[in-house]
Amino acid sequence: MNALISTALSGVVMMFAGLLIGNKQRIKIVAIVVLLVAFAANLAELSTLGAGERTYYGMITVSHFSILFNAIALGATLIFFLLSGSAFEKVGEHVSDYFALIFFILAGISLASTFSTLLMLFLAIEIISIPQYILAGADKKTPKSSEASLKYFLMGSFSTGILLMGIALIYGATGTFNVAELALGAGKVNTLALCGIILMAFALSFKVSAAPFHFWTPDVYDGSPTVFTSFMATVVKAGGFIAFIRIFHGAFVGERLTADWQLLLAIITAATLIIGNFTAVFQQSVKRMLAYSSIAQAGFMLLAVISMNTFATQGIILYAAAYSVATIGIFAVMIKLKDYTFDGFNGLARTQPVLAITTTIFVCSLAGIPLTAGFFAKYFVLAAAVQQGNLLWLVITAVICAAISAYYYFRVIIAMYFKQGEAETEEINGGFKLMLIITAAIVILLGIFPGLLLQFI
């Protein structure tokens, strides 16, 4: 609850900061300070929560899991601000408004991790989505940005309609919006409710870029300002998965009912893994490759949604942290480059060794190489699927896709170290390099000691 209130207030503070502060660097400092306050307020709730969970007005339920996830989202956003906050100035004049919109997205993510009713779920998804439509079109000088915003808005509105229809059908079948009272799997499966679950699965699949609802992702990610693509592809995507897990693990349970939606999501997961990885292989732009790889990573995170066990809970937490930090890191490096193609990375190791070394760590983590956070993230979600018992074919598919992903991730490393060229970069200061090193150190630290995060669940 503290995270929801503090992030919403932070958004309001940033809106007024734009009126009172003219210096854009100072606006960034204010954003970092209020984010730290929100982070501290979120953790402070642990001291009053005790061992259980607390429900507010039957609408919001705060637990250790939600507080930990909010801490990861806020921590990843802090890294994002420190690495890429200066790039906001290149997008347009309304720097404080961009920060405000990001805080409102964080408020939506906080709500997605704590909702107790389907109405709160709908509000959370919309609070997350609407600021993203604006950020996607923030670069008014670039037609691609406006096109991305319009496409995102139209597709997002379509998925919202599907989500509302799903909620309406479930309400018609059960007579309640309360997640704890739905009890859909308690008796005979209601056809109306099953249709509602399928529609909700489709709508949430769109939000997390799962196939076959992924088609908007490459164009929107490519057309949006790169600095905002970094945030949309990481923290926001993780927020969508938390909503996915809360509703499917919390309400849609029961032997027959679970088997039905697990089969549906297993098919979606396999399609997401295959389409995301195979399409990423053929991309010539690193930005578009990361867009398709984000689809592939969504496939891995869906394994945690399908699997209903302890490994799944631990896996989604570790995956959210590992994927967000590594992707924010590589996007921060890319923002400093003048060419986003693979050729644009040629010779980077000679001109900017710190950027090359840290980028190597980030892509190794995304590929799931041992001693990086991505390895244990993939291990936990795969272990969750194995423990589930009936998903061995999906685990084999995921492992093959992970091997394929090494090809396109390692193309970046080959370009930096083994290709001739002079990668052109903007002026890079010592502070940026230090922050990159710290981010890479976090990736390695979580890759060696995943228990640092998991102990708090």
Side-chain angles (χ1 to χ4, degrees):
M1 189 69 169
N2 284 2
L4 175 62
I5 294 172
S6 58
T7 50
L9 287 176
S10 298
V12 176
V13 168
M14 293 312 300
M15 291 174 70
F16 282 100
L19 296 174
L20 303 174
I21 304 173
N23 188 304
K24 293 175 182 174
Q25 279 301 316
R26 289 182 182 174
I27 288 176
K28 176 188 166 185
I29 293 171
V30 172
I32 290 171
V33 170
V34 295
L35 182 61
L36 286 171
V37 172
F39 187 83
N42 175 58
L43 291 183
E45 196 162 13
L46 274 177
S47 61
T48 59
L49 188 62
E53 57 185 31
R54 183 184 299 144
T55 300
Y56 294 88
Y57 309 108
M59 295 288 182
I60 292 172
T61 302
V62 177
S63 63
H64 284 252
F65 179 78
S66 64
I67 290 175
L68 177 59
F69 178 77
N70 289 334
I72 290 171
L74 293 169
T77 306
L78 178 62
I79 294 172
F80 169 66
F81 281 179
L82 291 170
L83 278 174
S84 306
S86 300
F88 284 26
E89 299 173 26
K90 300 174 187 172
V91 177
E93 293 296 319
H94 309 287
V95 174
S96 63
D97 294 338
Y98 304 149
F99 281 111
L101 289 169
I102 286 174
F103 276 113
F104 290 136
I105 291 173
L106 288 173
I109 292 172
S110 302
L111 191 55
S113 67
T114 55
F115 70 86
S116 297
T117 72
L118 297 179
L119 291 178
M120 287 295 109
L121 167 64
F122 174 73
L123 283 177
I125 295 296
E126 288 309 290
I127 292 171
I128 293 171
S129 300
I130 292 172
Q132 286 189 83
Y133 304 149
I134 302 169
L135 289 175
D139 188 357
K140 296 179 181 177
K141 301 183 292 296
T142 308
K144 281 178 69 176
S145 178
S146 301
E147 180 187 339
S149 179
L150 180 62
K151 187 174 288 187
Y152 199 8
F153 171 71
L154 292 175
M155 295 295 104
S157 302
F158 184 67
S159 73
T160 296
I162 294 176
L163 179 64
L164 269 180
M165 180 64 76
I167 290 174
L169 291 181
I170 290 173
Y171 180 77
T174 63
T176 180
F177 288 119
N178 195 305
V179 171
E181 297 172 1
L182 289 177
L184 290 170
K188 186 179 177 182
V189 177
N190 187 306
T191 305
L192 197 63
L194 194 57
C195 291
I197 292 170
I198 292 172
L199 290 177
M200 290 189 70
F202 287 170
L204 291 173
S205 295
F206 174 90
K207 297 299 181 187
V208 299
S209 310
F213 312 99
H214 67 286
F215 43 84
W216 59 274
T217 310
D219 291 341
V220 171
Y221 281 14
D222 193 31
S224 302
T226 305
V227 63
F228 298 140
T229 304
S230 171
F231 187 73
M232 290 158 61
T234 53
V235 179
V236 175
K237 187 185 284 285
F241 273 101
I242 287 303
F244 224 138
I245 281 187
R246 277 188 63 80
I247 188 66
F248 276 77
H249 288 198
F252 304 155
V253 290
E255 188 175 345
R256 166 72 194 286
L257 189 68
T258 303
D260 286 340
W261 67 252
Q262 276 183 333
L263 177 62
L264 173 69
L265 288 186
I267 295 170
I268 291 176
T269 302
T272 304
L273 287 166
I274 293 170
I275 293 174
N277 281 291
F278 277 90
T279 316
V281 167
F282 299 101
Q283 302 305 308
Q284 298 305 316
S285 162
V286 175
K287 191 176 180 183
R288 284 187 75 85
M289 179 274 282
L290 289 173
Y292 280 105
S293 84
S294 80
I295 296 170
Q297 300 283 356
F300 275 97
M301 284 189 264
L302 276 173
L303 289 173
V305 179
I306 299 171
S307 311
M308 300 180 67
N309 50 51
T310 306
F311 272 123
T313 308
Q314 294 173 330
I316 196 65
I317 284 292
L318 201 53
Y319 217 109
Y323 171 67
S324 296
V325 173
T327 306
I328 287 171
I330 192 169
F331 265 102
V333 171
M334 200 165 63
I335 290 169
K336 296 295 183 184
L337 296 176
K338 295 184 177 178
D339 183 357
Y340 291 168
T341 65
F342 282 95
D343 290 341
F345 282 77
N346 286 353
L348 186 65
R350 287 186 293 278
T351 56
Q352 295 287 349
V354 174
L355 269 63
I357 291 169
T358 52
T359 300
T360 302
I361 294 170
F362 298 144
V363 295
C364 283
S365 181
L366 291 174
I369 302 299
L371 297 182
T372 63
F375 171 75
F376 274 115
K378 282 186 168 58
Y379 169 79
F380 272 86
V381 295
L382 288 171
V386 169
Q387 196 176 53
Q388 195 63 29
N390 58 344
L391 298 171
L392 190 59
W393 64 274
L394 192 56
V395 173
I396 294 171
T397 305
V399 171
I400 293 172
C401 288
I404 293 170
S405 72
Y407 169 76
Y408 56 78
Y409 285 130
F410 279 31
R411 281 183 69 191
V412 178
I413 298 174
I414 291 170
M416 292 189 297
Y417 288 94
F418 302 109
K419 291 285 184 71
Q420 296 296 322
E422 293 291 334
E424 294 185 66
T425 61
E426 299 176 359
E427 187 178 349
I428 298 171
N429 59 39
F432 178 79
K433 290 180 182 177
L434 177 62
M435 194 57 218
L436 268 185
I437 292 169
I438 293 172
T439 306
I442 293 172
V443 170
I444 293 175
L445 195 64
L446 289 178
I448 299 173
F449 305 109
L452 290 174
L453 269 182
L454 302 181
Q455 65 179 315
F456 295 107
I457 297 179

